[in-house]
């Protein structure tokens, strides 16, 4: 590793003065960097925004925080030894940390690690151990990313099906066994991020932002029952309804088929009735659904459906249709409530 350094002359002798740091500033931030890098002021501005956000979350932040930006792994590790908890550890660890907290701020080897490392710094100041601060920082980053109802649904659609499958496979970690960010194998990184988000979501739901300041009082293991159980029950109920629909189609039982349709939507009910009547002219000999729950909001759900069928005709081949559908829960039973159309409204029209 090579770097610019300072030499200081006193009398006739020269003394090593350490790395030749340059600086960029914001109100509560000082960024020190070794090379003339254009992102230094951007880094300072981004750190200032995060400083404000963490302070608003109730976390104690120093009046001025220093970001030591090295720009590459060689310089960071040539000049510093990672603190306890950030060393490489076991041989199976796939990567090294991209940064870590220090007494007056954080050290970074690349800008992409700014948010997670600064949040870890704030959490460790609040008393969270290194092992927990990592997953909680990841969860908070996703929590802030889901700043609108639509963004929250997108996070749930991304993470909850993965968590449900991992729960079935007994592949989830206990909270006390969550690995550190850089210890996670590439194939497990999405699951680790999903579980970090789920535990953080549960923590904030049950304890609010004050829970971040009381790590010793936190009980996080209840997240599975609180978050996964409603999804698991909804997914099972919707699968039961889909099984009823498939059986009704194959046995030509129109009454049973229509009993799976939400009667609050009379237009849909008539469309489903007409569709079933058309089966008399185009019967099927195979008809089955595969489903994945995408979002759950109380008694409403959005599901990705894969319909596999084959007509009862000579030389007929298998067909597959993928689409998203809505379901509603009425009196404890999940009912089909139409395709999940997007909507555009004007003063006099609704376009689906």
């Amino acid at each position: 590793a090579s770097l610019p350094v300072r030499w200081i002359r006193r009398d006739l002798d020269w003394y090593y003065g350490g790395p030749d740091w340059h600086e960029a500033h914001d109100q509560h931030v000082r960024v020190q960097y070794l090379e003339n890098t254009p992102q230094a002021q951007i880094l300072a501005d981004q750190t200032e925004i995060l400083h404000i956000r963490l302070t608003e979350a109730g976390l104690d932040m120093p009046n001025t925080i220093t970001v030591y930006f090295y720009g590459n792994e060689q310089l960071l590790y040539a000049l510093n030894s990672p603190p306890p908890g950030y060393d490489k550890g076991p041989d199976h660890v796939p990567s090294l940390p991209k940064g870590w907290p220090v007494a007056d701020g954080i050290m970074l080897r690349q800008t992409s690690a700014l948010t997670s490392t600064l949040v870890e710094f704030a959490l460790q100041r609040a008393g969270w151990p290194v092992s927990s601060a990592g997953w909680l920082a990841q969860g908070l980053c996703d929590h802030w990313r889901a700043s609108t109802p639509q963004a929250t649904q997108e996070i749930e659609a991304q993470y909850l099906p993965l968590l449900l499958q991992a729960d079935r496979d007994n592949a989830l970690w206990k909270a006390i066994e969550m690995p550190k960010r850089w210890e996670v194998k590439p194939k497990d990184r999405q699951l680790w991020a999903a579980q970090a988000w789920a535990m953080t979501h549960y923590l904030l739901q049950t304890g609010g932002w004050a829970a971040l300041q009381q790590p010793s009082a936190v009980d996080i293991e209840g997240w599975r029952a609180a978050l996964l159980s409603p999804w698991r029950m909804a997914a099972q109920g919707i699968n039961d309804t889909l099984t009823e629909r498939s059986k009704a189609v194959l046995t030509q039982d129109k009454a049973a088929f229509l009993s799976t349709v939400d009667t609050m939507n009379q237009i849909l009910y008539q469309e489903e009735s007409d569709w079933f009547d058309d089966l008399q002219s185009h019967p099927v000999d195979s008809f089955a659904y595969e489903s994945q729950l995408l979002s759950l909001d109380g008694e409403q759900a959005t599901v990705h459906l894969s319909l596999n069928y084959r007509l009862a005709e000579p030389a007929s081949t298998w067909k597959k249709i993928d689409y998203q559908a809505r379901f509603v829960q009425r009196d404890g039973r999940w009912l089909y409530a139409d395709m999940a159309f997007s909507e555009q409204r004007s003063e006099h029209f609704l376009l689906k």
Side-chain angles (χ1 to χ4, degrees):
S2 61
L3 70 154
V5 299
R6 291 179 180 177
W7 291 88
I8 302 171
R9 185 174 183 178
R10 292 198 177 101
D11 297 327
L12 298 178
D13 297 318
W14 288 91
Y15 295 88
Y16 175 66
D20 185 22
W21 292 109
H22 302 273
E23 292 192 356
H25 297 267
D26 210 312
Q27 183 177 356
H28 300 96
V29 178
R30 177 175 67 247
V31 174
Q32 292 193 336
Y33 58 99
L34 291 172
E35 303 291 347
N36 186 19
T37 175
Q39 67 259 44
Q41 189 57 50
I42 296 174
L43 191 62
D45 296 342
Q46 291 174 337
T47 306
E48 179 68 25
I49 293 171
L50 288 169
H51 188 285
I52 294 171
R53 173 171 282 180
L54 290 165
T55 302
E56 290 176 345
L59 292 167
D60 177 43
M61 296 292 288
N63 187 56
T64 300
I65 187 168
T66 301
V67 178
Y68 301 92
F69 181 64
Y70 289 83
N72 63 68
E73 180 178 303
Q74 289 75 23
L75 282 177
L76 174 62
Y77 283 91
L79 298 176
N80 306 278
S81 296
Y86 287 87
D87 46 1
K88 185 170 183 180
D91 292 338
H92 72 271
V93 173
S95 63
L96 291 167
K98 297 177 182 178
W100 54 75
V102 291
D104 60 341
I106 60 175
M107 293 189 175
L108 291 180
R109 66 179 167 104
Q110 59 188 61
T111 57
S112 62
L114 169 65
T115 301
S116 58
T117 309
L118 189 61
V119 177
E120 287 183 37
F121 168 81
L123 291 170
Q124 289 181 33
R125 282 174 60 88
W128 290 87
V130 172
S131 57
S132 299
W135 65 254
L136 184 51
Q138 173 67 36
L140 286 171
C141 291
D142 276 332
H143 176 81
W144 285 320
R145 182 162 64 93
S147 57
T148 65
Q150 180 178 352
T152 300
Q153 287 188 356
E154 290 173 356
I155 287 275
E156 291 177 346
Q158 177 185 357
Y159 285 157
L160 279 163
L162 183 65
L163 290 168
L164 289 168
Q165 184 61 53
D167 188 43
R168 289 191 290 269
D169 297 340
N170 198 30
L172 296 172
W173 294 276
K174 293 181 179 178
I176 60 173
E177 297 174 354
M178 280 284 280
K180 302 174 185 114
R181 182 189 312 275
W182 57 93
E183 293 177 340
V184 182
K185 297 178 181 178
K187 68 180 182 64
D188 295 327
R189 284 174 185 164
Q190 189 176 17
L191 177 59
W192 180 84
Q195 185 170 335
W197 166 81
M199 294 194 301
T200 303
H201 182 76
Y202 173 75
L203 176 68
L204 295 177
Q205 275 196 328
T206 55
W209 290 106
L212 299 181
Q213 305 162 44
Q214 302 169 339
S216 61
V218 169
D219 179 12
I220 206 71
E221 292 294 352
W223 76 269
R224 293 197 203 192
L227 198 59
L228 297 187
S229 291
W231 275 66
R232 192 182 299 113
M233 293 175 62
Q236 183 59 57
I238 291 168
N239 280 332
D240 290 344
T241 297
L242 294 171
T243 299
E244 292 178 37
R245 285 171 69 85
S246 298
K247 182 179 179 180
V249 167
L250 293 171
T251 60
Q252 304 248 332
D253 187 340
K254 183 176 181 178
F257 180 80
L258 291 178
S259 72
T260 68
V261 181
D262 181 22
T263 57
M264 299 296 288
N265 187 340
Q266 284 298 307
I267 295 177
L268 171 67
Y269 192 85
Q270 185 60 52
E271 289 174 347
E272 292 288 284
S273 177
D274 294 341
W275 180 88
F276 197 92
D277 291 340
D278 189 57
L279 284 175
Q280 304 297 322
S281 303
H282 305 284
V284 297
D285 65 7
S286 295
F287 191 93
Y289 291 100
E290 296 176 2
S291 67
Q292 182 181 72
L293 183 59
L294 298 179
S295 69
L296 178 65
D297 184 9
E299 296 183 335
Q300 300 185 52
T302 304
V303 180
H304 178 86
L305 294 180
S306 294
L307 171 59
N308 299 277
Y309 71 95
R310 185 173 61 190
L311 297 176
E313 297 175 354
S316 179
T317 60
W318 282 97
K319 305 290 185 183
K320 182 180 180 180
I321 301 174
D322 289 287
Y323 61 101
Q324 292 186 13
R326 295 188 304 106
F327 285 77
V328 295
Q329 192 176 36
R330 309 278 189 209
D331 299 324
R333 188 180 179 213
W334 286 95
L335 301 174
Y336 177 68
D338 210 350
M339 298 178 68
F341 291 106
S342 298
E343 295 185 357
Q344 292 289 336
R345 294 178 179 270
S346 68
E347 184 177 358
H348 301 292
F349 296 97
L350 170 62
L351 175 65
K352 289 188 175 183

